[in-house]
């Protein structure tokens, strides 16, 4: 799956375009463009770095279509609605964790000096609503470094510039890790 984020002028309506491996393309409505990394790009980078296919982008790659997505082109596969419901249902608990993890990694990325104790404290706070608040500290620190790099790159873009990120292709349907 390929995701294209186009920089828009600050204050303009932002979105990204997803081309799934089945050839179907969607626009994902993002909200208002700002100088910071787009929210959905943060999620994509964090999910990729943590190798977590249980979040928003793993679900989209597996056929999920969320309310904020508009079909652009490409033939939708047979039983697309059922496939979407299954992709979301298989991840219902992990979708929330992925959302919280993106917030955690974003917070750690804001503090380049953050180390293991800071990550553990922040994980307890960010993941307090989950039964398991443990995290892979080195993976969180690596994801935070990737966000800092992406933020620097994004700051150097101008309206109309694109950032393209590929989600790993898998043969057949994506296996959902539980």
């Amino acid at each position: 799956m390929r995701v294209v984020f186009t920089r828009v002028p600050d204050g303009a309506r932002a979105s990204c375009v997803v081309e799934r491996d089945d050839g179907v393309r969607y626009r994902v409505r993002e909200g208002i463009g700002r100088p910071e990394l787009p929210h959905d790009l943060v999620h994509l980078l964090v999910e990729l770095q943590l190798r977590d296919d249980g979040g928003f982008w793993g679900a989209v790659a597996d056929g999920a279509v969320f309310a904020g997505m508009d079909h652009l082109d490409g033939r939708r596969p047979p039983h697309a609605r059922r496939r979407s419901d299954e992709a979301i249902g298989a991840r219902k608990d992990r979708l929330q964790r992925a959302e919280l993890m993106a917030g955690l990694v974003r917070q750690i990325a804001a503090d380049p000096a953050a180390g293991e104790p800071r990550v553990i404290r922040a994980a307890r706070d960010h993941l307090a609503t989950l039964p398991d608040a443990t995290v892979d500290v080195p993976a969180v620190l690596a994801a935070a470094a990737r966000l800092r790099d992406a933020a620097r790159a994004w700051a150097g873009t101008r309206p109309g510039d694109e950032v393209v990120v590929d989600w790993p292709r898998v043969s057949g349907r994506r296996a959902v890790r539980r």
Side-chain angles (χ1 to χ4, degrees):
M1 176 175 75
R2 174 161 283 179
V3 186
V4 179
F5 293 86
T6 303
R7 179 72 183 255
V8 297
D10 292 348
R13 177 67 73 196
S15 62
C16 63
V17 174
V18 175
E19 183 177 324
R20 290 194 324 218
D21 292 345
D22 61 7
V24 181
R25 289 183 346 122
Y26 290 92
R27 174 176 292 113
V28 179
R29 288 176 256 132
E30 172 79 22
I32 301 301
R34 300 183 319 216
E36 307 83 50
L37 275 176
H39 176 80
D40 288 336
L41 180 53
V42 169
H43 271 274
L44 181 56
L45 295 174
V46 170
E47 290 176 32
L48 280 170
Q49 187 67 39
L50 299 180
R51 301 180 191 277
D52 181 6
D53 71 349
F56 176 82
W57 292 107
V60 170
D62 199 24
V65 178
F66 291 91
M69 296 172 65
D70 302 313
H71 178 255
L72 295 176
D73 54 47
R75 186 173 184 280
R76 293 179 225 186
H79 312 291
R81 182 174 297 256
R82 187 183 78 226
R83 183 177 170 200
S84 175
D85 292 344
E86 288 172 357
I88 294 168
R91 294 168 173 81
K92 67 179 183 178
D93 296 331
R94 294 179 61 216
L95 283 163
Q96 179 187 11
R97 181 176 176 86
E99 182 73 32
L100 297 172
M101 286 299 295
L104 167 66
V105 172
R106 180 177 256 169
Q107 181 181 354
I108 297 303
D111 179 7
E116 183 173 350
R118 173 82 172 98
V119 171
I120 292 169
R121 281 192 311 276
R124 257 195 315 266
D125 293 343
H126 270 78
L127 307 178
T129 60
L130 302 177
D132 177 18
T134 61
V135 295
D136 178 343
V137 173
V140 169
L141 291 170
R146 186 168 187 185
L147 279 190
R148 283 191 297 276
D149 292 344
R152 280 191 292 276
W154 185 258
T157 62
R158 295 184 310 234
D161 289 350
E162 294 180 342
V163 172
V164 179
V165 181
D166 289 322
W167 184 269
R169 180 184 298 264
V170 292
S171 59
R173 291 192 60 185
R174 179 176 290 279
V176 178
R177 290 177 273 137
R178 297 194 190 268

